[in-house]
DNA sequence: GAAGATTGACAATTCAATCTTT
DNA sequence: AAAGATTGAATTGTCAATCTTC
């Protein structure tokens, strides 16, 4: 059961109002454990083979993919699942390091436009092959395409609030 | 493609040696985004409704489930997917707050035994119903049991190094 | 007032170095 | 030398408060 207390419901596996079944628990804890391990290991690889952390990489990739055009912080927050305060500090550090620049948004005076710099692009280009290979080794290559597809759906439902019967354009 | 650069391979979706296909990328990024969102939200719930963070909760649950008996830090690190330094700092804080105690291991002089205290157990008991409900709402209840089962397998392969054809006792 | 974003104080995490026992 | 664990300094993340514009 999810709370982790033994003693009640010795049979195990049953869904008793409050706690999680063994299967539910295994999924939830496995998810957490997998994330901790993967990110530690990928972070180590990235920072030893390049100038970027995993967070740096994620942010720069989004900017780069955006066609080189600028993005608003709230957009970045949405795609990366990050909150505004953390993002703001992170962007500040990337600005200091010269990887992105920040300019006032002309159409909405409250906001900013974040753009990847040439320096940022270079760092990304240098980091990418090693990082992608590491993601493959630690994650992609260990799973079937069926498993990856289910994981994609899971993320769509949990993170993006899609209902399970929606398709990609829904 | 995983690196996030457009321009090469306009067709998309193809597996070209280095990068990730769109499907692979969607799974990987979705996983990261889902984790960020879930843990932020569960952390907020836990720390506003109880004395524990998500990390505190995970650690205390493991100790409690261990039948009230003590665990070695390296065992905790293994089940939670955490590294020794982080774990050591975390245990130190929990000791200071009176939630666990730490005593020298009699059979291996290098090691320690960590045990949940009554205070820790009380905090866990108080936090559990709200946290479990939050995990259900944000995660479990949004997924089918089939999806949960696939996720459990994914974690077993990625985090615990099981091969996909192994069963649970393998 | 709500949305977009920043700031500073505080808390948690990482990295490298260290220590002891095996 | 390797395994178990801790420590301190530096980095990174969180929370609440704030500011400006919509």
């Amino acid at each position: 059961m999810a709370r982790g207390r033994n003693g009640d419901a010795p049979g195990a596996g049953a869904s008793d109002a409050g706690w999680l079944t063994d299967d539910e628990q295994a999924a939830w804890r496995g998810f957490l454990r997998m994330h901790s391990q993967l990110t530690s290991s990928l972070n180590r690889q990235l920072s030893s083979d390049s100038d970027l952390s995993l967070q740096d990489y994620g942010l720069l990739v989004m900017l780069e993919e955006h066609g080189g055009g600028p993005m608003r912080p709230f957009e970045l927050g949405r795609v990366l699942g990050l909150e505004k305060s953390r993002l703001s500090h992170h962007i500040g550090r990337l600005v200091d390091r010269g990887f992105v620049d920040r300019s006032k948004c002309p159409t909405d005076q409250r906001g900013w436009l974040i753009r990847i710099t040439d320096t940022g692009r270079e760092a990304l280009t240098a980091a990418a092959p090693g990082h992608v290979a590491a993601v493959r080794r630690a994650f992609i290559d260990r799973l079937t395409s069926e498993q990856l597809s289910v994981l994609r759906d899971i993320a769509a439902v949990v993170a993006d609030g899609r209902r399970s019967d929606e398709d990609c354009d829904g």
Side-chain angles (χ1 to χ4, degrees), chain A:
Chain A
M1 305 286 116
R3 174 148 137 262
R5 297 167 72 76
N6 298 321
D8 36 304
S15 170
D16 79 85
W19 313 122
L20 302 187
T21 66
D22 290 351
D23 284 350
E24 290 166 347
Q25 187 181 117
W28 173 238
R29 291 188 188 171
F31 169 70
L32 257 21
R33 186 170 63 254
M34 166 168 66
H35 180 271
S36 290
Q37 290 184 189
L38 275 175
T39 54
S40 310
S41 126
L42 292 173
N43 246 316
R44 261 195 307 276
Q45 178 272 319
L46 261 176
S47 44
S48 87
D49 297 353
S50 82
D51 275 342
L52 304 176
S53 70
L54 190 56
Q55 299 287 356
D56 297 336
Y57 188 94
L59 208 148
L60 292 179
V61 160
M62 288 305 157
L63 290 171
E64 171 76 354
E65 267 183 13
H66 209 247
M71 286 177 84
R72 298 283 296 272
F74 76 90
E75 297 181 279
L76 283 165
R78 215 158 272 167
V79 272
L80 297 170
L82 299 180
E83 285 166 3
K84 56 186 183 177
S85 166
R86 175 174 177 177
L87 195 48
S88 184
H89 283 300
H90 194 184
I91 290 170
R93 277 176 239 132
L94 290 175
V95 169
D96 291 344
R97 297 166 67 198
F99 290 156
V100 307
D101 62 35
R102 178 162 48 184
S103 56
K104 277 216 163 110
C105 176
T107 64
D108 182 344
Q109 299 293 130
R110 295 171 300 179
W112 298 84
L113 295 176
I114 314 300
R115 190 189 310 260
I116 189 170
T117 63
D118 289 343
T119 309
R121 208 169 272 113
E122 282 166 28
L124 188 60
T125 302
H131 174 60
V132 173
V135 172
R136 278 212 170 281
R137 244 179 294 122
F139 185 67
I140 304 288
D141 287 348
R142 304 197 181 194
L143 302 173
T144 66
S145 64
E146 173 63 17
Q147 287 174 317
L148 287 171
S149 148
V150 172
L151 184 58
R152 181 163 46 65
D153 291 346
I154 289 175
V157 171
V158 173
D160 310 325
R162 292 214 186 102
R163 295 200 326 281
S164 348
D165 54 5
E166 271 175 300
D167 67 30
C168 288
D169 308 308

